[in-house]
């Protein structure tokens, strides 16, 4: 039996699964729309669904929303804008010859989230949970590396790009959690849903203005592909809804560490769908992820 406090565990697992599906849908739209066009879909078409989710939550809970306090807005902007910056840096990494190493650095997000959560929100983490975060992160890094990739660890560019992108993703998680816990007088479900609506609104506004300025043809292309974009937007909003529900209940570091099981889902898809063999190095990394997640959940 799950208590309310432990519901963050199934919420995170559902969110991770939803994110895998959303990424697959976005990937199919990247070719016709470009990377930023496909990225904007998760915000532009996810926003209406977030409004629907919030409406259903308000009907179910009977909560009444009021204007959030002043402290809410800096946290919201930190979460929304940091996520956009992190995505941009990640896209830069995709064009770098050391992408695999940069990806490995991106997986330090859980550790950085723990640090930022402690510094800015006072999130309490036991030493056992810190150990779990470190073990799972090492496992993901080992799984992400490819033979010969370790030679690029000494290069400055992938190091900076990967670590700064991971820091931006970590700040995004902490920012959204900071906003959620500062919505007063409502249930955690309502505060999470309300924060998601405003976060997606800010992100949609920023990216749409950017595309109007730099690539108006992309926006026309997005509207022309509204049917697949609608489905991608729904899965994106669905995954984000559960990320935010998890953030409402526990430290962001716990959520982002458990979210590393996404790597296991990806490995399973590669093995069962594409018959790609799993190397001994990947098995070792997967074992560390499982150990780290088990320690985290049991702590």
């Amino acid at each position: 039996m799950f208590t309310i406090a432990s519901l963050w565990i199934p919420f995170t697992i559902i969110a991770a699964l939803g994110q895998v599906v959303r990424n697959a849908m976005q990937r199919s739209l990247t070719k016709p729309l470009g990377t930023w066009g496909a990225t904007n879909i998760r915000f532009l078409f996810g926003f209406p669904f977030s409004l629907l989710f919030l409406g259903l939550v308000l009907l179910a809970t009977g909560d009444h929303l009021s204007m959030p306090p002043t402290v809410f807005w800096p946290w919201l902007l930190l979460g929304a804008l940091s996520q956009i910056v992190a995505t941009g840096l990640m896209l830069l990494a995709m064009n770098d010859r050391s992408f695999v190493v940069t990806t490995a650095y991106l997986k330090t997000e859980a550790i950085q989230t723990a640090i930022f959560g402690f510094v800015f929100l006072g999130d309490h983490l036991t030493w056992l949970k810190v150990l779990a975060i470190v073990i799972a992160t090492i496992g993901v890094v080992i799984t992400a590396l490819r033979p010969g990739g370790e030679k690029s660890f000494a290069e400055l560019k992938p190091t900076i790009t990967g670590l700064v992108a991971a820091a931006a993703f970590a700040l995004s998680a902490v920012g959204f959690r900071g906003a959620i816990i500062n919505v007063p007088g409502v249930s955690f479900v309502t505060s999470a849903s309300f924060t998601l609506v405003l976060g997606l609104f800010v992100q949609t506004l920023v990216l749409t203005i950017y595309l109007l300025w730099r690539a108006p043809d992309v926006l026309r292309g997005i509207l022309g592909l509204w049917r697949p974009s609608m489905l991608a937007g729904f899965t994106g909003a669905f995954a984000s809804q559960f990320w935010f529900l998890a953030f409402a209940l526990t430290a962001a570091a716990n959520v982002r560490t458990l979210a590393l099981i996404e790597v296991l889902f990806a490995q399973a898809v590669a093995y069962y769908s594409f018959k790609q063999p799993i190397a001994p190095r990947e098995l070792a990394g997967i074992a560390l992820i499982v150990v780290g997640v088990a320690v985290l959940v049991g702590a």
Side-chain angles (χ1 to χ4, degrees):
M1 291 292 293
F2 280 103
T3 63
I4 290 179
S6 64
L7 282 175
W8 70 272
I9 297 171
F11 287 163
T12 301
I13 294 172
I14 293 170
L17 283 168
Q19 183 164 293
V20 170
V21 176
R22 184 207 68 199
N23 288 345
M25 292 180 176
Q26 272 190 287
R27 194 174 295 115
S28 67
L29 294 168
T30 299
K31 185 175 181 179
L33 298 177
T35 307
W36 281 115
T39 300
N40 195 31
I41 282 172
R42 64 180 290 193
F43 305 136
L44 180 64
F45 287 89
F47 176 65
F49 289 108
S50 70
L51 287 172
L52 175 63
F53 297 159
L54 177 60
L56 293 174
V57 166
L58 291 176
L59 284 175
T61 61
D63 285 339
H64 297 281
L65 287 168
S66 57
M67 182 63 67
T70 303
V71 69
F72 169 88
W73 299 104
W75 287 119
L76 179 76
L77 291 175
L78 175 65
L81 299 181
S82 293
Q83 192 172 53
I84 293 176
V85 170
T87 303
L89 290 172
M90 186 174 65
L91 298 178
L92 287 176
M94 289 180 179
N95 295 321
D96 192 274
R97 64 187 180 91
S98 298
F99 170 65
V100 172
V101 176
T102 306
T103 301
Y105 281 118
L106 279 170
K107 301 308 179 183
T108 65
E109 178 197 348
I111 293 176
Q112 296 195 59
T113 301
I115 295 171
F116 291 140
F118 174 76
V119 172
F120 295 120
L121 294 176
D123 284 339
H124 175 68
L125 292 173
T126 64
W127 283 109
L128 193 58
K129 287 190 175 183
V130 171
L131 178 63
I133 292 169
V134 172
I135 291 173
T137 301
I138 292 173
V140 174
V141 171
I142 291 174
T143 306
L145 286 178
R146 295 292 181 268
E150 66 277 0
K151 297 176 181 178
S152 299
F153 267 94
E155 296 179 11
L156 186 61
K157 184 179 178 181
T159 301
I160 293 176
T161 304
L163 291 178
V164 173
F169 277 122
L171 285 173
S172 175
V174 170
F176 283 134
R177 171 164 163 77
I180 291 168
I181 62 178
N182 277 292
V183 179
V186 294
S187 66
F188 79 91
V189 180
T190 299
S191 62
S193 303
F194 180 58
T195 303
L196 175 61
V197 166
L198 294 179
L200 285 176
F201 173 76
V202 169
Q203 291 170 322
T204 299
L205 185 65
V206 170
L207 269 184
T208 301
I209 290 174
Y210 172 79
L211 290 175
L212 278 172
W213 173 46
R214 296 298 300 270
D217 290 342
V218 172
L219 279 180
R220 285 192 287 270
I222 289 174
L223 296 177
L225 293 171
W226 66 270
R227 285 187 178 87
S229 297
M230 193 73 71
L231 187 57
F234 169 77
T235 56
F238 178 82
S240 295
Q241 177 75 23
F242 281 92
W243 286 130
F244 280 44
L245 288 172
F247 287 148
L249 292 174
T250 190
N254 292 339
V255 177
R256 298 314 298 161
T257 301
L258 182 56
L260 295 177
I261 62 170
E262 181 185 344
V263 175
L264 306 185
F265 299 152
Q267 289 288 338
V269 169
Y271 180 77
Y272 289 106
S273 297
F274 304 108
K275 307 304 179 184
Q276 296 177 0
I278 300 177
R281 167 190 48 78
E282 293 171 327
L283 286 175
I286 289 171
L288 286 174
I289 296 170
V290 172
V291 170
V293 168
V295 173
L296 175 75
V297 172

